[in-house]
Amino acid sequence: MKKIVFSGVIVLAMHLLASAQPDRWQQRVKYTMDVHMDVQTNQFTGSQTLVYTNNSPDTLFEVFYHLYWNAFQPGSMMDSRSRELGNIVYSSGRRGGQEQRDWDPRVRDRILNLKPEEIGYQKVLSLKMNGVPQTYETDETILKVRLSKPILPKTSATFQLQFEAQVPLQVRRSGRDNPQTGVRYSMSQWYPKMCEYDYEGWHPTPYVAREFYGVWGDYDVTISIDKRYLIGGTGYLENAAQVGYGYEVPGTKVIRPAGDRLVWHFVAPNVHDFMWAADPEYHHLVRRVPNGPVINVLYKNQHNDPRQDTLWNNLADAAVVVLPYIEKTFGAYPYKQYSFVHGGDGGMEYPMSTLINGPSLGTAFHEWMHSWYQGMMGTNESMYAWMDEGFTTYAEGRVSAWYYREAARLHPDNKGLQDKVAQDSTRLPLDHAGSYSSYFGLVKSGMQEPLTTHSDHFNTNYAYATASYSMGDMFLEQLGYIVSDSVRDRILLEYYRLWRFKHPNASDFVRVAEKVSGVKLDWYKEYWINTTKTIDYGIDSLWEQNGKTRIRLKMVGYMPMPLDVMLQFRDGTKEIAYIPQYSMFGSKPRENYTMSWMEFEPWRWTDPTYTFEVNHRLTDIKVVEIDPSQRMADVDRKNNRLELNW
């Protein structure tokens, strides 16, 4: 047995890391687009000039574009896959055993039933590179271009294309005439978008269900539309004085052009996508964070319900309240504005904005936190959905909990807030209990798949959702258990500092975590991400020997973990027996100063049992409990706690 002496090793490691920056090349784009929308036919024409910079060491002989809206046609891959999964009926522990179909309820078989005027499409009418016409072919949602002249390393090429599109009836993320919100246009995935090329090559991922991957760059977008419409979304509005409609600059005279159309001009620097939405009945709320960004909220009160006005105003106010906490915990927000825009089919993140179908604060916080875990990190969501949705779910949990505690502190007479905070305080692990419950249900169902599975290739939507959202959330919560919560928080800030705008992968995150914590964590990634092995530890036996108590633990599951074992004595005192995992080649700092802390020798994962000894008589012990914080995803907690009734 040895006592922990926590030195400044971690602080020193952080200092040494300060000058280290990852050096990974990535491509660059610069879009200039002009769009003319016809609100009668729900069609538009567009021109696009794209300056594409090849920063790779490779010569490119072809390029690929996404044409996402071609998915909204009967018989498409999205339609076929949705209906196929709808034939799967399952029962999960999470749902209380109730049988349900596995399809995404937002899609179901709706695409199959779209009429010609309701489908979506994107058609490239002409395409040139540096003024020379190119040969291209469309394969549903992917456009392949065979270049007449290759793009050499460290050079740029300019692509010019003309395209036309029809806005689909709102099905998934994008669309028109949303039946739930009444919003006319949710314009996401609306333009021909260059696919990403990285160290793994091209990523022409067809639009089957979910997740995106984009090239960082600058957008200059001009939209001509019926003058009754208000537009919000990605970017900064450059001509607010001309279009007005709530965007007027104070003290500036609004001069609108004659005619029945307005031209909106947006620019967005260093983003990997561009979304906009439009409706003639949008309300526009504005909040300004002190020394921070402008918060825009655009919503449609379809039924003129005063309660909706209140809820949307509350959302705008909440955004101002939580941003300082967000930036302190996860890093600074780098843009000058963020917009919550009513539309879409739930909540869907885009740079500098989100489409959100209602004023739910939980959903709003989730989508905003995507500005960090996807908006700034830009991981390949198709391969690392858990680093996008999971990290965002983790951040949402912390932000929501902080907000409600802060609101309860500021409004002690609000019984609803006090009850919510009291209820949350009983959950373990705090703020993330829903993810643990979902994960345990998935394990029980037998439908779990490794997190390395491509997001479109999961056998069920159920397995995908739980893996990417819940297990990704738990990855960070358990990381706090392994290295301590305080070190985990430093890891998140260092990850932000090193990898924003650089497309990190799972190994990149783990290396940051190892450098900051000073322990090896490749084993954690291997077991939690690459396999479906589960954690299950139990208390085997206790006995007294020479006036001391020996405690034997057993490893029932196949995933090793370090252990916190809490001992509660009859006199009311407690102590933690900390047992590192051998594969860590190190240990975490002491976390709990309210009770004694003892560190023992590491547990080798090859040993099915582990015995340690404490300086107490057996009759002094009242409770032995493995992981009292319940941050460890032990699938069977019944054998984690032993109460001795003397």
Side-chain angles (χ1 to χ4, degrees):
M1 183 177 70
K2 57 183 179 180
K3 293 280 187 179
I4 284 185
V5 179
F6 178 45
S7 68
V9 173
I10 293 174
V11 176
L12 175 62
M14 288 291 290
H15 175 75
L16 294 175
L17 280 170
S19 60
Q21 290 284 349
D23 182 18
R24 178 176 296 161
W25 61 264
Q26 53 189 307
Q27 310 295 61
R28 190 77 185 175
V29 292
K30 183 177 181 180
Y31 286 95
T32 302
M33 291 186 282
D34 293 296
V35 177
H36 187 281
M37 168 66 79
D38 186 332
V39 300
Q40 302 302 318
T41 64
N42 302 306
Q43 297 174 352
F44 64 91
T45 57
S47 63
Q48 178 190 101
T49 299
L50 169 58
V51 179
Y52 184 78
T53 301
N54 178 18
N55 290 317
S56 80
D58 306 326
T59 298
L60 304 181
F61 296 92
E62 58 189 7
V63 299
F64 296 85
Y65 285 82
H66 294 284
L67 300 176
Y68 290 112
W69 282 1
N70 291 344
F72 301 114
Q73 299 176 17
S76 70
M77 294 176 72
M78 180 183 286
D79 174 38
S80 176
R81 182 63 170 164
S82 179
R83 288 187 285 115
E84 177 193 16
L85 293 180
N87 292 325
I88 299 174
V89 178
Y90 70 92
S91 172
S92 74
R94 180 187 177 191
R95 303 285 181 176
Q98 182 179 0
E99 289 191 346
Q100 61 179 24
R101 287 196 181 197
D102 185 60
W103 56 17
D104 187 327
R106 295 164 293 193
V107 181
R108 301 171 65 95
D109 58 355
R110 294 176 59 206
I111 297 176
L112 181 66
N113 299 309
L114 292 177
K115 301 173 183 176
E117 67 274 13
E118 296 173 338
I119 67 169
Y121 63 73
Q122 290 161 328
K123 298 178 181 178
V124 173
L125 305 178
S126 67
L127 194 154
K128 299 178 181 179
M129 182 182 72
N130 299 329
V132 178
Q134 302 297 298
T135 300
Y136 57 90
E137 57 188 64
T138 300
D139 189 355
E140 199 170 295
T141 58
I142 298 297
L143 181 82
K144 180 178 180 179
V145 185
R146 304 181 186 278
L147 301 179
S148 60
K149 183 178 180 180
I151 306 174
L152 299 178
K154 314 304 180 185
T155 66
S156 298
T158 300
F159 293 90
Q160 302 110 344
L161 62 80
Q162 301 291 322
F163 68 101
E164 65 180 20
Q166 178 170 285
V167 186
L169 196 66
Q170 201 283 320
V171 176
R172 187 68 182 98
R173 300 186 175 104
S174 316
R176 64 174 175 87
D177 300 318
N178 189 312
Q180 183 179 9
T181 65
V183 171
R184 277 287 282 149
Y185 295 115
S186 297
M187 302 292 285
S188 56
Q189 288 81 55
W190 59 275
Y191 60 96
K193 179 182 178 182
M194 184 70 77
C195 298
E196 179 64 286
Y197 183 88
D198 63 14
Y199 61 94
E200 295 178 318
W202 282 107
H203 293 274
T205 306
Y207 193 19
V208 175
R210 54 180 70 93
E211 312 314 342
F212 306 101
Y213 190 29
V215 192
W216 267 294
D218 304 321
Y219 286 72
D220 187 312
V221 180
T222 302
I223 303 165
S224 172
I225 195 170
D226 186 302
K227 67 188 303 180
R228 297 171 299 164
Y229 281 71
L230 176 63
I231 293 180
T234 300
Y236 309 127
L237 182 62
E238 294 292 283
N239 61 336
Q242 284 71 44
V243 298
Y245 287 111
Y247 283 92
E248 294 93 336
V249 178
T252 302
K253 183 179 180 181
V254 176
I255 304 173
R256 297 194 180 103
D260 59 358
R261 304 184 69 82
L262 283 178
V263 177
W264 300 67
H265 182 200
F266 293 91
V267 297
N270 204 29
V271 295
H272 55 64
D273 204 355
F274 189 101
M275 179 276 291
W276 59 282
D279 192 276
E281 297 178 6
Y282 267 149
H283 297 263
H284 180 209
L285 308 177
V286 178
R287 301 290 189 272
R288 288 175 171 82
V289 178
N291 302 313
V294 172
I295 304 297
N296 295 299
V297 176
L298 290 93
Y299 72 96
K300 181 172 184 174
N301 193 341
Q302 169 174 28
H303 304 295
N304 296 316
D305 183 352
R307 293 172 296 180
Q308 288 296 306
D309 296 325
T310 299
L311 291 172
W312 284 104
N313 273 276
N314 289 345
L315 189 160
D317 294 337
V320 175
V321 171
V322 300
L323 182 58
Y325 172 79
I326 291 173
E327 294 193 313
K328 178 182 177 181
T329 310
F330 301 102
Y333 181 72
Y335 304 107
K336 295 184 291 185
Q337 78 92 17
Y338 188 83
S339 295
F340 297 93
V341 183
H342 201 186
D345 61 353
M348 181 59 198
E349 71 279 0
Y350 296 95
M352 303 171 67
S353 59
T354 182
L355 285 171
I356 184 172
N357 70 348
S360 162
L361 290 184
T363 303
F365 293 156
H366 181 93
E367 302 309 328
W368 198 6
M369 291 315 305
H370 270 301
S371 294
W372 281 257
Y373 302 114
Q374 189 52 22
M376 277 183 268
M377 294 304 166
T379 56
N380 181 350
E381 293 181 82
S382 295
M383 295 307 304
Y384 307 105
W386 60 274
M387 295 180 69
D388 163 42
E389 295 296 353
F391 284 22
T392 298
T393 300
Y394 171 83
E396 173 204 343
R398 290 190 62 172
V399 171
S400 294
W402 182 90
Y403 171 77
Y404 284 112
R405 291 174 199 136
E406 182 70 5
R409 184 184 68 82
L410 295 174
H411 303 282
D413 297 330
N414 188 318
K415 187 176 184 303
L417 285 173
Q418 303 303 323
D419 289 346
K420 179 173 179 57
V421 171
Q423 180 184 17
D424 286 350
S425 67
T426 65
R427 300 187 308 173
L428 291 173
L430 192 62
D431 313 332
H432 309 280
S435 291
Y436 282 75
S437 176
S438 297
Y439 166 70
F440 294 143
L442 178 63
V443 171
K444 185 178 179 181
S445 74
M447 301 170 73
Q448 185 186 5
E449 299 175 62
L451 269 65
T452 51
T453 307
H454 187 288
S455 63
D456 284 330
H457 300 167
F458 278 85
N459 293 331
T460 62
N461 284 314
Y462 173 45
Y464 159 77
T466 305
S468 57
Y469 288 79
S470 301
M471 291 185 66
D473 175 12
M474 295 164 68
F475 178 87
L476 290 182
E477 184 66 6
Q478 282 193 137
L479 181 62
Y481 177 72
I482 295 168
V483 302
S484 82
D485 287 346
S486 61
V487 173
R488 186 265 325 282
D489 288 354
R490 289 198 287 270
I491 290 169
L492 291 176
L493 287 173
E494 184 68 358
Y495 177 55
Y496 165 88
R497 186 184 74 83
L498 291 174
W499 282 103
R500 59 181 177 154
F501 306 118
K502 291 186 176 71
H503 297 307
N505 58 40
S507 295
D508 296 325
F509 178 84
V510 169
R511 286 298 293 131
V512 172
E514 289 181 330
K515 290 176 181 178
V516 173
S517 68
V519 302
K520 286 293 293 178
L521 293 165
D522 53 344
W523 61 273
Y524 181 45
K525 170 176 171 276
E526 176 194 347
Y527 280 96
W528 190 252
I529 304 303
N530 298 354
T531 78
T532 58
K533 296 180 180 181
T534 57
I535 303 165
D536 185 7
Y537 283 91
I539 300 167
D540 181 79
S541 55
L542 290 76
W543 68 95
E544 186 175 308
Q545 184 173 319
N546 299 325
K548 299 180 181 181
T549 299
R550 295 178 66 82
I551 301 171
R552 182 160 60 204
L553 309 176
K554 57 184 177 181
M555 182 179 174
V556 182
Y558 292 100
M559 177 173 172
M561 286 286 281
L563 295 184
D564 293 346
V565 182
M566 188 271 291
L567 304 175
Q568 180 180 339
F569 303 101
R570 295 175 67 185
D571 63 4
T573 61
K574 299 178 181 179
E575 60 185 38
I576 291 289
Y578 169 58
I579 305 168
Q581 172 54 229
Y582 172 85
S583 301
M584 294 169 63
F585 294 99
S587 56
K588 70 176 174 181
R590 178 176 179 176
E591 286 193 281
N592 194 319
Y593 286 87
T594 65
M595 60 186 78
S596 299
W597 178 278
M598 304 175 293
E599 180 176 331
F600 292 85
E601 292 299 316
W603 186 338
R604 303 180 305 180
W605 63 267
T606 55
D607 298 337
T609 63
Y610 179 97
T611 303
F612 66 99
E613 184 178 85
V614 295
N615 293 320
H616 290 272
R617 302 292 299 267
L618 180 60
T619 54
D620 292 338
I621 299 175
K622 184 178 180 180
V623 176
V624 180
E625 183 175 6
I626 297 172
D627 179 28
S629 71
Q630 296 188 21
R631 289 173 292 173
M632 187 172 70
D634 194 306
V635 297
D636 181 10
R637 297 195 188 278
K638 293 191 298 293
N639 56 5
N640 284 26
R641 180 182 173 91
L642 177 65
E643 295 190 27
L644 302 175
N645 298 314
W646 299 105

